[in-house]
Amino acid sequence: MVELLNYPFNSSMIHRKCNRIRNELLKGVFSDEIKIAVLGGSTTNQLIKIIELFLLKEGFKTSFYESDYNKYYEDAVFYNKTLLDFNPDFIYIHTTHHNITEYPSFSSSEKEIEIIFENQKTKFNNIWESLQKYNCPIIQNNFDLPLYRCLGNLDSYHPSGQTYFLNKLNHFFAKEAQKNKSLYINDINYLSSLFGLNNWHNKNIWFTAKYAISYEAIPTLANNIVGIINSVLGRSKKCLVLDLDNTCWGGVIGDDGLNGIKLGNESAQGEAYLKFQAYIKKLKERGIILAVCSKNNHKIAKEGFSHSDSTLKFEDFTSFKANWDPKYLNIENIAKEINIGLDSIVFIDDNAVERNIVQSQLPSVSVPEIGDDILNFIDYIERNNYFEIVNLSNDDLNRNKFYKENITRKKQKAAFENYDEFLQSLKMKAEIKPFSNVYLDRITQLINKTNQFNLTTKRYKLIEVEKISKNENFITLYGKLSDKFGDNGLISVMFGEITNKTCNIETWLMSCRVLKRDMEFAMFNKFVEQCLSKSLNKIVGTYKRTDKNNMVSNLFSDLGFEYVEKKSDGSIIWELNIENYNSTVSKIKIN
Amino acid sequence: MSRKELFEKIQEIFRDIFDDEELKIEEFTNSSNIDDWDSINHINLVVAIEGELNIKFNLDELSTLKDVGAMIDLILIKMN
């Protein structure tokens, strides 16, 4: 029943079986809870039910605040005790073109049109501004187009046209979201055109029940919203693992040979594979890690990417497994090699049997049922929102470079007899400093997606990180590390709150990209230095065990901390007197 | 489709919407007999019936669907 929530959505079944799907999902175990406030400009009952299904599927136990019918503005702008008490993690504003209260009339002057436009802008600006007090991300619909356009084609370019007016507002929303870090646009303008306005709107259900969008479109909309939530929380997938034959090119390279595979502009099929490769290449450029898992001879498989028309090159893949082992074993190895969880992997294979084996052996890997028609592969990757992204940081753009450099480092490591010598040879340089504004996005991203080297796995929203960075009572540090092979970017975050001469480490984490480089010691030395400069004498550390952070279970004891107690929630408290602290030696030069 | 077959299909839809495998409806069953049959679930019922039987209700018809018997009468007219 739960598989109904995978693309392509069978809307009528999802609605009909909604309660059953929910009951089935509720049997699962939930590690995360989430509170969503839905402020609607139209009826939202069924939308909320379906949003809940998608969130449950992602492992969130969900509770909702739902505004009264069309009371989104009042709920946002006026004092609202219920909403304050609810303390939402996300606020979703479900407005559509039905909520535009005034359009220009055909006789409006330029000046009058401007005023009408300003009024709509002000209304939404007021909403976003007053919602800031809730300290949480706001997900805001932009506008879908109405079914009818009184001015025909002219509607799209006449200053009084509704289409023109709505497009202008959408542009304004986009500009605002570029400036406002906690505002995320739910692009229903795109969704509705993807769906077709005739299917997106349903006049019957609008006039009888005031649903602004059709039942048919609700699962697509809900899935899109949950995609944004997932991405804000850093839970999007990281790595795309591809099969080769009939996935990256048409035909079987082992049988057909390099010149026999279908790839390139000579045939319709070859062109479709080319288009697919170009899409994958774009994913790579925005930070998705690529890997190959194919039943093939390594040499022959590699040769495929030397095809003159191949957009993807062998070097584009961080991990390349072409052999005859079962695919699930190879995928496990890929995860280990790249150092990511299996739940960060999406596997694309045209062969239903292979998909089935991988899915049953590795249930946390995402294995969409893509069929075997190359024309549909991208749809499955994109419409399942695996790689939804809410901002594009430099670290995203450089991620593949980081992993590539890591492989060079690994090779280099083998050439040294002892590890210290290897570290020395890397000529590492670090920048370790208190949080500064330019890095807050990246810091938040790291806080929300780091699982392994993470002492407390506490998640923070951007607004909270911003507050902490301004709070005098916090000691904050970020760490950037570079070496002779390249720049790793910002890879470590640490902060703690000061009370009575003691600093309590709330968060300490590091990207797995830079494990075993002594970066944690460099971070800690600097942290102690900061504590001493504020005349503190003690640091308290907390280790909270999760399924993924075993690697740091001994970190505090390794640094000389004393065990204090184990709390009822399972977290272990450590403390260190720093008055006579001897800094740990590290091979990193700090600047 | 006979009235009996249609009745069974409608019963299936009711069981799904109200999440009750055992639910038994009668011709005279109306919103006062089923606790969760509110205006929201009424819409869900209508949408599910439309989808299952590939029919469309008109605006003024929606408010006349007061009980199961009335629903089935109307559906039979629509399907013929």
Side-chain angles (χ1 to χ4, degrees), chain A residues 246-376:
Chain A
N246 290 316
T247 299
C248 286
W249 49 67
V252 177
I253 193 161
D255 297 338
D256 306 335
L258 181 60
N259 296 321
I261 56 173
K262 293 193 188 68
L263 185 64
N265 293 324
E266 289 75 33
S267 66
Q269 225 195 348
E271 214 171 322
Y273 282 101
L274 202 57
K275 205 72 189 161
F276 179 66
Q277 285 204 3
Y279 183 83
I280 303 295
K281 185 94 168 186
K282 277 253 180 296
L283 283 182
K284 186 211 157 195
E285 283 163 3
R286 49 155 270 200
I288 304 306
I289 307 163
L290 302 183
V292 158
C293 175
S294 163
K295 284 194 170 154
N296 247 314
N297 169 298
H298 180 83
K299 208 174 136 236
I300 296 174
K302 186 178 166 182
E303 206 187 353
F305 292 104
S306 67
H307 191 286
S308 56
D309 283 326
S310 187
T311 310
L312 289 170
K313 302 290 172 209
F314 178 72
E315 293 72 32
D316 287 326
F317 298 96
T318 305
S319 178
F320 199 99
K321 304 279 176 214
N323 54 44
W324 304 100
D325 293 338
K327 293 201 172 184
Y328 67 91
L329 292 179
N330 278 319
I331 293 175
E332 271 182 328
N333 283 331
I334 289 169
K336 266 186 221 144
E337 220 170 82
I338 306 177
N339 222 338
I340 54 173
L342 285 165
D343 55 1
S344 299
I345 290 180
V346 177
F347 176 56
I348 297 294
D349 193 322
D350 66 294
N351 183 324
V353 177
E354 295 290 359
R355 290 198 298 262
N356 196 279
I357 300 172
V358 168
Q359 188 66 100
S360 59
Q361 294 298 314
L362 308 172
S364 50
V365 171
S366 297
V367 187
E369 284 299 316
I370 59 167
D372 56 9
D373 186 349
I374 177 69
L375 291 183
N376 302 325

Side-chain angles (χ1 to χ4, degrees), chain A residues 12-13 15-20 23 45-46 49 202-205 207-209 211 215, chain B residues 12-13 15-21 40-41 43-44 47-48 50 52 57-59 62:
Chain A
S12 55
M13 269 314 174
H15 289 301
R16 187 170 156 179
K17 305 278 183 189
C18 172
N19 288 320
R20 295 206 179 163
N23 288 337
N45 301 76
Q46 189 66 10
K49 281 172 111 178
N202 180 315
K203 288 172 272 188
N204 208 338
I205 208 120
F207 289 120
T208 51
Y211 277 99
Y215 260 52
Chain B
E12 252 336 285
I13 292 174
R15 288 179 174 178
D16 280 338
I17 300 286
F18 299 108
D19 192 27
D20 179 355
E21 288 283 0
I40 295 159
N41 273 328
I43 298 287
N44 289 344
V47 171
E50 285 185 336
E52 172 76 28
F57 294 104
N58 299 331
L59 279 182
L62 288 175

Side-chain angles (χ1 to χ4, degrees), chain A residues 70-314:
Chain A
N70 199 12
K71 286 283 176 280
Y72 68 101
Y73 182 78
E74 290 80 349
D75 265 3
V77 173
F78 303 120
Y79 174 77
N80 184 336
K81 184 164 187 315
T82 323
L83 188 50
L84 279 166
D85 289 343
F86 179 70
N87 190 19
D89 295 309
F90 283 86
I91 296 175
Y92 168 55
I93 305 172
H94 179 55
T95 42
T96 63
H97 77 267
H98 292 289
N99 299 107
I100 302 290
T101 39
E102 191 187 7
Y103 287 104
S105 69
F106 300 135
S107 60
S108 297
S109 68
E110 208 176 301
K111 186 111 200 238
E112 284 163 340
I113 293 174
E114 195 49 42
I115 292 170
I116 293 167
F117 185 65
E118 284 301 319
N119 285 344
Q120 296 300 326
K121 276 166 69 173
T122 311
K123 175 171 147 189
F124 282 94
N125 265 329
N126 285 345
I127 290 176
W128 302 328
E129 249 165 58
S130 53
L131 287 178
Q132 275 184 7
K133 59 176 171 287
Y134 297 100
N135 269 333
C136 73
I138 300 163
I139 300 174
Q140 168 71 57
N141 284 355
N142 57 10
F143 294 102
D144 49 355
L145 292 178
L147 260 182
Y148 304 110
R149 34 174 212 176
C150 191
L151 289 178
N153 290 291
L154 182 62
D155 211 57
S156 70
Y157 61 101
H158 190 279
S160 296
Q162 293 196 3
T163 308
Y164 182 73
F165 189 81
L166 288 167
N167 284 336
K168 240 174 27 167
L169 267 181
N170 280 344
H171 186 68
F172 161 72
F173 274 28
K175 285 280 182 198
E176 285 303 300
Q178 286 173 2
K179 284 187 284 183
N180 181 343
K181 293 288 182 205
S182 54
L183 181 63
Y184 301 91
I185 300 296
N186 182 43
D187 190 1
I188 67 168
N189 186 252
Y190 171 81
L191 286 187
S192 58
S193 59
L194 180 70
F195 229 80
L197 290 178
N198 269 329
N199 299 319
W200 176 263
H201 297 296
N202 180 315
K203 288 172 272 188
N204 208 338
I205 208 120
W206 167 248
F207 289 120
T208 51
K210 286 286 175 283
Y211 277 99
I213 70 161
S214 68
Y215 260 52
E216 205 187 332
I218 286 178
T220 301
L221 175 64
N223 182 47
N224 206 59
I225 297 161
V226 172
I228 295 174
I229 292 173
N230 246 333
S231 179
V232 171
L233 297 174
R235 292 163 61 127
S236 295
K237 310 294 175 197
K238 296 172 183 157
C239 172
L240 183 64
V241 179
L242 295 164
D243 169 52
L244 295 180
D245 294 330
N246 290 316
T247 299
C248 286
W249 49 67
V252 177
I253 193 161
D255 297 338
D256 306 335
L258 181 60
N259 296 321
I261 56 173
K262 293 193 188 68
L263 185 64
N265 293 324
E266 289 75 33
S267 66
Q269 225 195 348
E271 214 171 322
Y273 282 101
L274 202 57
K275 205 72 189 161
F276 179 66
Q277 285 204 3
Y279 183 83
I280 303 295
K281 185 94 168 186
K282 277 253 180 296
L283 283 182
K284 186 211 157 195
E285 283 163 3
R286 49 155 270 200
I288 304 306
I289 307 163
L290 302 183
V292 158
C293 175
S294 163
K295 284 194 170 154
N296 247 314
N297 169 298
H298 180 83
K299 208 174 136 236
I300 296 174
K302 186 178 166 182
E303 206 187 353
F305 292 104
S306 67
H307 191 286
S308 56
D309 283 326
S310 187
T311 310
L312 289 170
K313 302 290 172 209
F314 178 72

Side-chain angles (χ1 to χ4, degrees), chain A residues 38-51 65-70 92 94 209-212 218:
Chain A
V38 177
L39 310 186
S42 51
T43 309
T44 48
N45 301 76
Q46 189 66 10
L47 175 59
I48 284 179
K49 281 172 111 178
I50 306 299
I51 293 175
Y65 169 94
E66 183 179 19
S67 66
D68 286 339
Y69 170 73
N70 199 12
Y92 168 55
H94 179 55
K210 286 286 175 283
Y211 277 99
I218 286 178

Side-chain angles (χ1 to χ4, degrees), chain A residues 545-557:
Chain A
R545 182 180 293 282
T546 68
D547 294 339
K548 292 179 172 172
N549 72 348
N550 191 46
M551 68 162 67
V552 287
S553 55
N554 292 322
L555 182 68
F556 286 122
S557 92

